[in-house]
Amino acid sequence: MQSLTSHYHQLLGLSSNWKVENVHVSMSGKRVEIRLVCTGKQVACPVCGASCSIYDHTTEQRWRHLDTMQFETILVACLPRCQ
C-alpha cells in the first residue's frame, strides 16, 4: 500500500526537488496539512530562468489548496531563494 506522503507527492505533481515531509489529518477539524521540503541544490531563477544555487529559504508560509473531499487542505513550506 502506498504511503500517505507518496500519495500526496503524486497528487500535487511535485518534482523530485520536493519532498512531502509530513501529512497531518485532523478529523475533528476537517483539515489536511501537508508539509513540503525542498531537497534540491539548484532552483530556476524567477527573473532569468537560469539554474542557480540555493542560498537560503524564506520563513514558513502557508497556502490554501483545493479541498481533499470535504477537508480543507493547507500546504506549508519554506521556499528556497537564489541569488
Side-chain angles (χ1 to χ4, degrees), residues 46-58:
V47 176
C48 68
S51 182
C52 300
S53 297
I54 296 171
Y55 75 89
D56 74 353
H57 291 79
T58 63

Side-chain angles (χ1 to χ4, degrees), residues 9 11 21-22 30 37 46-47 53 55 61 63 66-67 78:
H9 192 278
L11 285 178
E21 184 178 61
N22 187 2
K30 293 197 175 233
V37 175
V47 176
S53 297
Y55 75 89
Q61 298 180 31
W63 300 270
L66 297 173
D67 288 351
C78 296

Side-chain angles (χ1 to χ4, degrees), residues 11 18 20-21 44-45 50 52 60 63 65-67 69 83:
L11 285 178
W18 287 91
V20 176
E21 184 178 61
C45 173
C52 300
E60 184 175 279
W63 300 270
H65 199 283
L66 297 173
D67 288 351
M69 303 301 212
Q83 293 182 342

Side-chain angles (χ1 to χ4, degrees), residues 18 22-26 29-36 58-66 72-79:
W18 287 91
N22 187 2
V23 178
H24 180 264
V25 179
S26 170
K30 293 197 175 233
R31 173 182 280 209
V32 177
E33 187 173 291
I34 305 163
R35 187 166 297 277
L36 306 172
T58 63
T59 58
E60 184 175 279
Q61 298 180 31
R62 304 169 71 79
W63 300 270
R64 172 86 186 260
H65 199 283
L66 297 173
E72 178 182 53
T73 303
I74 305 295
L75 302 178
V76 181
C78 296
L79 299 179

